[in-house]
Amino acid sequence: MTDSLLIPLHVKYIQSLDKRTDELEYWLTEHLRLNGLYWGLTALDLMNNIEALPRDQIINYVKSLQHENGGFGGHTGHDPHMLYTLSAIQILVTLDAVDVIDKDKVVAYVVSMQNEDGSFRGDQWGEVDSRFVYIGLMALKLLKRMDAIHVDKAVQWVLQCQNYDGGFGNTPGAESHSGQVCCCVGALALTDSLHLIDQDMLGWWLCERQLKNGGLNGRPEKLEDVCYSWWVSSALAIIGRLHWIDKEKLSQFILSAQDMEDGGISDRPGNMVDVYHTCFGVAGLSLIGYPGLKKVDPVYCMPEHVIARIGLKK
Ligand SMILES: [Zn+2]
């Protein structure tokens, strides 16, 4: 147990990720390489260490992943997907380098993923999920091109995903889940539509995700997990109810999931660390005001100073 964030160790851990090519895990997560870069870079920036990764190399790599249709693949030779397309834009905006890619093509790709009913597909295979609405809206918002899609239809579709318990599911009628709540609330925030939902009821569902050990879970009866420190807390922050959970206990839980020897944060104490949980652990700590970290923006999961620089901070 430690009660402080081991920043130098986490920086070293993130730096080491790209050099572990002899480990099976490196290859198993190949499809997530671009997302991994976004998670690593975001965590580093929040920890005031963005220069720990080589800026120009990252920009060239991201640029190389854009396909003819405008979308981005997760790694060299991989098919384009909305998940990677958003990561690419988030990385380039963070590095103030979004002009190196063909933005019109990205916009065209995102537009092509919207369905007639307002929902979005993740890729050419057509899977529909509330995550993709959030991704599509955020990608276009960061590129200042929200006008290119049917925003009203997207909002109406997101509202259909809200359940009687106040939470949101991945499609209309699906069970409430924190990850989807974060995406739907983010989508409503991006479109100035938060007034359309019952925020108190949603706030109750969210704050009931905190367990005795301080950690947050994804839905009732499930185990706590560091990544929900982000999914739940960011949604609470967006609706102005972050004080409904015990921040001190959450902070202790996240810190207890650190690898004290090699750095990185895991889903819960004692498990293997990964860059995904490292990012959302650090972002969660930033959101609840952990000292010494840059502030994170709850809607974009990007450093607040970046969102302010591009003029999107309210
Ligand atoms: Zn997790």
Side-chain angles (χ1 to χ4, degrees):
M1 270 296 271
T2 176
D3 52 7
S4 66
L5 184 66
L6 307 167
I7 291 180
L9 270 187
H10 298 321
V11 172
K12 237 164 84 186
Y13 164 72
I14 293 169
Q15 282 180 315
S16 77
L17 288 171
D18 208 38
K19 299 172 192 127
R20 299 186 174 184
T21 52
D22 55 336
E23 291 174 21
L24 179 64
E25 198 202 341
Y26 177 90
W27 300 105
L28 291 178
T29 58
E30 185 180 73
H31 63 291
L32 294 173
R33 200 63 28 95
L34 186 58
N35 288 351
L37 204 47
Y38 156 69
W39 295 323
L41 196 70
T42 302
L44 287 174
D45 197 5
L46 294 175
M47 293 188 292
N48 298 292
N49 271 276
I50 195 163
E51 68 294 338
L53 288 180
R55 181 176 187 272
D56 292 349
Q57 248 170 280
I58 292 176
I59 293 170
N60 287 334
Y61 170 67
V62 173
K63 198 176 158 187
S64 77
L65 301 179
Q66 189 174 26
H67 285 251
E68 195 43 45
N69 69 1
F72 287 77
H75 189 45
T76 312
H78 289 228
D79 287 340
H81 195 289
M82 291 281 275
L83 286 166
Y84 311 130
T85 302
L86 177 64
S87 286
I89 296 171
Q90 287 175 306
I91 291 168
L92 294 175
V93 168
T94 299
L95 295 175
D96 198 10
V98 80
D99 289 331
V100 306
I101 51 158
D102 189 330
K103 286 189 275 185
D104 288 342
K105 269 191 180 174
V106 186
V107 173
Y109 173 75
V110 175
V111 168
S112 76
M113 289 296 145
Q114 190 173 31
N115 295 316
E116 192 51 42
D117 64 1
S119 64
F120 278 79
R121 301 183 294 281
D123 60 14
Q124 57 182 331
W125 308 113
E127 185 200 355
V128 168
D129 190 304
S130 47
R131 281 180 303 159
F132 307 142
V133 180
Y134 173 55
I135 286 173
L137 290 170
M138 197 202 301
L140 295 183
K141 187 94 175 185
L142 289 170
L143 295 173
K144 318 271 175 78
R145 287 301 310 278
M146 284 269 269
D147 58 304
I149 47 151
H150 298 287
V151 173
D152 286 353
K153 280 186 173 180
V155 170
Q156 287 310 315
W157 190 82
V158 168
L159 292 174
Q160 286 178 45
C161 294
Q162 190 169 31
N163 293 314
Y164 65 87
D165 60 11
F168 291 79
N170 61 348
T171 50
E175 182 192 8
S176 295
H177 188 287
S178 310
Q180 259 70 36
V181 170
C182 172
C183 292
C184 290
V185 172
L188 296 175
L190 287 165
T191 53
D192 297 319
S193 310
L194 286 168
H195 59 282
L196 298 174
I197 55 165
D198 185 335
Q199 298 182 24
D200 276 335
M201 191 163 68
L202 170 62
W204 278 115
W205 188 87
L206 285 166
C207 73
E208 281 170 358
R209 304 281 59 77
Q210 189 164 39
L211 305 176
K212 278 202 188 80
N213 61 15
L216 302 165
N217 66 9
R219 54 205 156 114
E221 315 296 331
K222 296 287 175 184
L223 284 177
E224 68 285 354
D225 182 327
V226 162
C227 62
Y228 294 114
S229 308
W230 178 257
W231 307 121
V232 174
S233 306
S234 62
L236 280 168
I238 291 171
I239 61 171
R241 285 157 179 80
L242 191 52
H243 57 287
W244 286 16
I245 54 167
D246 187 329
K247 295 181 201 171
E248 189 48 43
K249 281 179 85 175
L250 175 58
S251 172
Q252 286 304 324
F253 169 71
I254 298 172
L255 294 171
S256 71
Q258 299 180 98
D259 182 325
M260 251 78 85
E261 275 160 35
D262 299 316
I265 300 174
S266 58
D267 58 353
R268 64 185 68 91
N271 285 354
M272 277 272 284
V273 303
D274 59 72
V275 67
Y276 169 84
H277 289 94
T278 304
C279 173
F280 291 116
V282 171
L285 287 171
S286 162
L287 197 66
I288 56 181
Y290 188 85
L293 294 176
K294 280 187 191 162
K295 278 197 165 160
V296 66
D297 184 288
V299 178
Y300 298 87
C301 195
M302 290 165 66
E304 216 176 69
H305 72 94
V306 174
I307 300 305
R309 189 188 72 222
I310 61 171
L312 293 177
K313 190 77 210 146
K314 291 208 175 132

mmCIF file of all heavy atoms in Angstrom, residues 29 57-58 60 82 94 118 152 160 193 206 214 225 227 230 233 236 239 285 289 308 312:
data_model
loop_
_atom_site.group_PDB
_atom_site.id
_atom_site.type_symbol
_atom_site.label_atom_id
_atom_site.label_comp_id
_atom_site.label_asym_id
_atom_site.label_seq_id
_atom_site.Cartn_x
_atom_site.Cartn_y
_atom_site.Cartn_z
ATOM 1 N N THR A 29 -1.860 -7.443 -28.057
ATOM 2 C CA THR A 29 -2.560 -6.154 -28.000
ATOM 3 C C THR A 29 -2.260 -5.291 -29.230
ATOM 4 O O THR A 29 -2.507 -4.103 -29.228
ATOM 5 C CB THR A 29 -2.161 -5.365 -26.739
ATOM 6 O OG1 THR A 29 -0.738 -5.187 -26.753
ATOM 7 C CG2 THR A 29 -2.569 -6.074 -25.475
ATOM 8 N N GLN A 57 7.783 11.050 -33.981
ATOM 9 C CA GLN A 57 7.558 9.644 -34.323
ATOM 10 C C GLN A 57 6.085 9.283 -34.178
ATOM 11 O O GLN A 57 5.517 8.571 -34.998
ATOM 12 C CB GLN A 57 8.370 8.763 -33.377
ATOM 13 C CG GLN A 57 9.507 8.018 -34.044
ATOM 14 C CD GLN A 57 10.369 7.380 -32.985
ATOM 15 O OE1 GLN A 57 11.208 8.047 -32.378
ATOM 16 N NE2 GLN A 57 10.155 6.093 -32.738
ATOM 17 N N ILE A 58 5.479 9.778 -33.109
ATOM 18 C CA ILE A 58 4.059 9.500 -32.871
ATOM 19 C C ILE A 58 3.221 10.086 -34.003
ATOM 20 O O ILE A 58 2.348 9.416 -34.564
ATOM 21 C CB ILE A 58 3.598 10.118 -31.525
ATOM 22 C CG1 ILE A 58 4.270 9.397 -30.365
ATOM 23 C CG2 ILE A 58 2.090 10.030 -31.395
ATOM 24 C CD1 ILE A 58 3.947 10.007 -29.021
ATOM 25 N N ASN A 60 4.027 10.824 -37.081
ATOM 26 C CA ASN A 60 4.211 10.085 -38.330
ATOM 27 C C ASN A 60 3.495 8.740 -38.307
ATOM 28 O O ASN A 60 2.908 8.308 -39.298
ATOM 29 C CB ASN A 60 5.707 9.867 -38.617
ATOM 30 C CG ASN A 60 6.365 11.164 -39.049
ATOM 31 O OD1 ASN A 60 5.701 12.051 -39.591
ATOM 32 N ND2 ASN A 60 7.657 11.289 -38.789
ATOM 33 N N MET A 82 -14.047 3.278 -35.871
ATOM 34 C CA MET A 82 -14.340 4.531 -35.168
ATOM 35 C C MET A 82 -13.485 4.693 -33.908
ATOM 36 O O MET A 82 -13.044 5.789 -33.562
ATOM 37 C CB MET A 82 -15.822 4.578 -34.791
ATOM 38 C CG MET A 82 -16.738 4.726 -35.992
ATOM 39 S SD MET A 82 -16.790 6.440 -36.590
ATOM 40 C CE MET A 82 -18.072 7.079 -35.502
ATOM 41 N N THR A 94 -3.951 16.690 -29.074
ATOM 42 C CA THR A 94 -3.110 16.861 -27.885
ATOM 43 C C THR A 94 -1.725 17.370 -28.272
ATOM 44 O O THR A 94 -1.153 18.236 -27.604
ATOM 45 C CB THR A 94 -2.988 15.524 -27.110
ATOM 46 O OG1 THR A 94 -4.297 15.130 -26.686
ATOM 47 C CG2 THR A 94 -2.097 15.664 -25.888
ATOM 48 N N GLY A 118 -30.005 7.882 -36.583
ATOM 49 C CA GLY A 118 -29.168 8.755 -35.753
ATOM 50 C C GLY A 118 -28.025 8.036 -35.073
ATOM 51 O O GLY A 118 -27.054 8.661 -34.656
ATOM 52 N N ASP A 152 -29.413 16.246 -34.144
ATOM 53 C CA ASP A 152 -30.698 16.002 -33.461
ATOM 54 C C ASP A 152 -31.058 14.523 -33.432
ATOM 55 O O ASP A 152 -31.492 13.999 -32.408
ATOM 56 C CB ASP A 152 -31.829 16.769 -34.159
ATOM 57 C CG ASP A 152 -31.740 18.255 -33.842
ATOM 58 O OD1 ASP A 152 -30.893 18.620 -33.002
ATOM 59 O OD2 ASP A 152 -32.515 19.032 -34.433
ATOM 60 N N GLN A 160 -33.014 7.387 -26.258
ATOM 61 C CA GLN A 160 -33.705 6.083 -26.264
ATOM 62 C C GLN A 160 -32.917 5.019 -25.503
ATOM 63 O O GLN A 160 -33.454 3.978 -25.141
ATOM 64 C CB GLN A 160 -33.889 5.590 -27.698
ATOM 65 C CG GLN A 160 -34.961 6.316 -28.478
ATOM 66 C CD GLN A 160 -35.021 5.771 -29.909
ATOM 67 O OE1 GLN A 160 -34.995 4.563 -30.125
ATOM 68 N NE2 GLN A 160 -35.068 6.663 -30.878
ATOM 69 N N SER A 193 -27.246 18.942 -24.557
ATOM 70 C CA SER A 193 -28.573 18.329 -24.403
ATOM 71 C C SER A 193 -28.806 17.711 -23.028
ATOM 72 O O SER A 193 -29.739 16.927 -22.848
ATOM 73 C CB SER A 193 -28.760 17.231 -25.466
ATOM 74 O OG SER A 193 -28.445 17.710 -26.743
ATOM 75 N N LEU A 206 -25.327 6.344 -10.504
ATOM 76 C CA LEU A 206 -23.861 6.419 -10.589
ATOM 77 C C LEU A 206 -23.200 6.328 -9.216
ATOM 78 O O LEU A 206 -22.220 5.596 -9.038
ATOM 79 C CB LEU A 206 -23.451 7.726 -11.284
ATOM 80 C CG LEU A 206 -23.656 7.760 -12.808
ATOM 81 C CD1 LEU A 206 -23.547 9.193 -13.323
ATOM 82 C CD2 LEU A 206 -22.642 6.856 -13.513
ATOM 83 N N GLY A 214 -14.104 1.673 -1.670
ATOM 84 C CA GLY A 214 -13.840 2.939 -2.346
ATOM 85 C C GLY A 214 -13.868 2.844 -3.851
ATOM 86 O O GLY A 214 -14.067 3.841 -4.542
ATOM 87 N N ASP A 225 -13.410 -1.801 -10.258
ATOM 88 C CA ASP A 225 -12.397 -1.833 -11.315
ATOM 89 C C ASP A 225 -11.911 -0.403 -11.515
ATOM 90 O O ASP A 225 -12.727 0.522 -11.606
ATOM 91 C CB ASP A 225 -13.045 -2.392 -12.600
ATOM 92 C CG ASP A 225 -12.066 -2.520 -13.759
ATOM 93 O OD1 ASP A 225 -11.138 -1.694 -13.860
ATOM 94 O OD2 ASP A 225 -12.255 -3.443 -14.562
ATOM 95 N N CYS A 227 -10.843 1.206 -14.015
ATOM 96 C CA CYS A 227 -11.284 1.993 -15.178
ATOM 97 C C CYS A 227 -12.623 2.676 -14.922
ATOM 98 O O CYS A 227 -12.905 3.725 -15.492
ATOM 99 C CB CYS A 227 -11.292 1.178 -16.463
ATOM 100 S SG CYS A 227 -12.401 -0.225 -16.491
ATOM 101 N N TRP A 230 -12.932 6.207 -13.932
ATOM 102 C CA TRP A 230 -13.156 7.202 -14.970
ATOM 103 C C TRP A 230 -14.591 7.210 -15.471
ATOM 104 O O TRP A 230 -15.269 8.226 -15.467
ATOM 105 C CB TRP A 230 -12.199 7.024 -16.154
ATOM 106 C CG TRP A 230 -12.522 8.037 -17.197
ATOM 107 C CD1 TRP A 230 -13.196 7.853 -18.356
ATOM 108 C CD2 TRP A 230 -12.271 9.452 -17.112
ATOM 109 N NE1 TRP A 230 -13.382 9.048 -19.010
ATOM 110 C CE2 TRP A 230 -12.825 10.043 -18.267
ATOM 111 C CE3 TRP A 230 -11.652 10.269 -16.146
ATOM 112 C CZ2 TRP A 230 -12.765 11.421 -18.503
ATOM 113 C CZ3 TRP A 230 -11.584 11.651 -16.386
ATOM 114 C CH2 TRP A 230 -12.132 12.203 -17.555
ATOM 115 N N SER A 233 -16.977 8.465 -12.608
ATOM 116 C CA SER A 233 -16.675 9.813 -12.087
ATOM 117 C C SER A 233 -16.833 10.888 -13.152
ATOM 118 O O SER A 233 -17.269 11.999 -12.851
ATOM 119 C CB SER A 233 -15.250 9.879 -11.543
ATOM 120 O OG SER A 233 -15.041 8.867 -10.612
ATOM 121 N N LEU A 236 -20.433 11.689 -13.481
ATOM 122 C CA LEU A 236 -20.871 12.474 -12.317
ATOM 123 C C LEU A 236 -20.371 13.916 -12.419
ATOM 124 O O LEU A 236 -21.093 14.863 -12.102
ATOM 125 C CB LEU A 236 -20.349 11.838 -11.018
ATOM 126 C CG LEU A 236 -21.142 10.639 -10.486
ATOM 127 C CD1 LEU A 236 -20.360 9.935 -9.383
ATOM 128 C CD2 LEU A 236 -22.523 11.066 -9.976
ATOM 129 N N ILE A 239 -22.443 15.972 -14.904
ATOM 130 C CA ILE A 239 -23.755 16.431 -14.411
ATOM 131 C C ILE A 239 -23.631 17.160 -13.060
ATOM 132 O O ILE A 239 -24.634 17.384 -12.374
ATOM 133 C CB ILE A 239 -24.790 15.271 -14.314
ATOM 134 C CG1 ILE A 239 -24.325 14.169 -13.345
ATOM 135 C CG2 ILE A 239 -25.058 14.685 -15.703
ATOM 136 C CD1 ILE A 239 -25.399 13.130 -13.044
ATOM 137 N N LEU A 285 -7.872 10.135 -10.899
ATOM 138 C CA LEU A 285 -7.238 10.911 -9.818
ATOM 139 C C LEU A 285 -7.244 12.403 -10.160
ATOM 140 O O LEU A 285 -7.493 13.251 -9.298
ATOM 141 C CB LEU A 285 -5.803 10.433 -9.584
ATOM 142 C CG LEU A 285 -5.643 9.070 -8.900
ATOM 143 C CD1 LEU A 285 -4.186 8.631 -8.926
ATOM 144 C CD2 LEU A 285 -6.160 9.121 -7.451
ATOM 145 N N GLY A 289 -9.224 15.694 -8.210
ATOM 146 C CA GLY A 289 -8.382 16.746 -7.630
ATOM 147 C C GLY A 289 -7.112 16.285 -6.951
ATOM 148 O O GLY A 289 -6.582 16.987 -6.080
ATOM 149 N N ALA A 308 -8.939 23.741 -23.826
ATOM 150 C CA ALA A 308 -8.973 25.208 -23.761
ATOM 151 C C ALA A 308 -8.220 25.811 -24.953
ATOM 152 O O ALA A 308 -8.685 26.782 -25.547
ATOM 153 C CB ALA A 308 -8.346 25.675 -22.447
ATOM 154 N N LEU A 312 -12.583 24.944 -26.960
ATOM 155 C CA LEU A 312 -13.808 24.198 -26.656
ATOM 156 C C LEU A 312 -14.155 24.174 -25.166
ATOM 157 O O LEU A 312 -15.146 23.589 -24.771
ATOM 158 C CB LEU A 312 -13.694 22.749 -27.165
ATOM 159 C CG LEU A 312 -13.638 22.576 -28.687
ATOM 160 C CD1 LEU A 312 -13.457 21.108 -29.042
ATOM 161 C CD2 LEU A 312 -14.899 23.133 -29.340
#
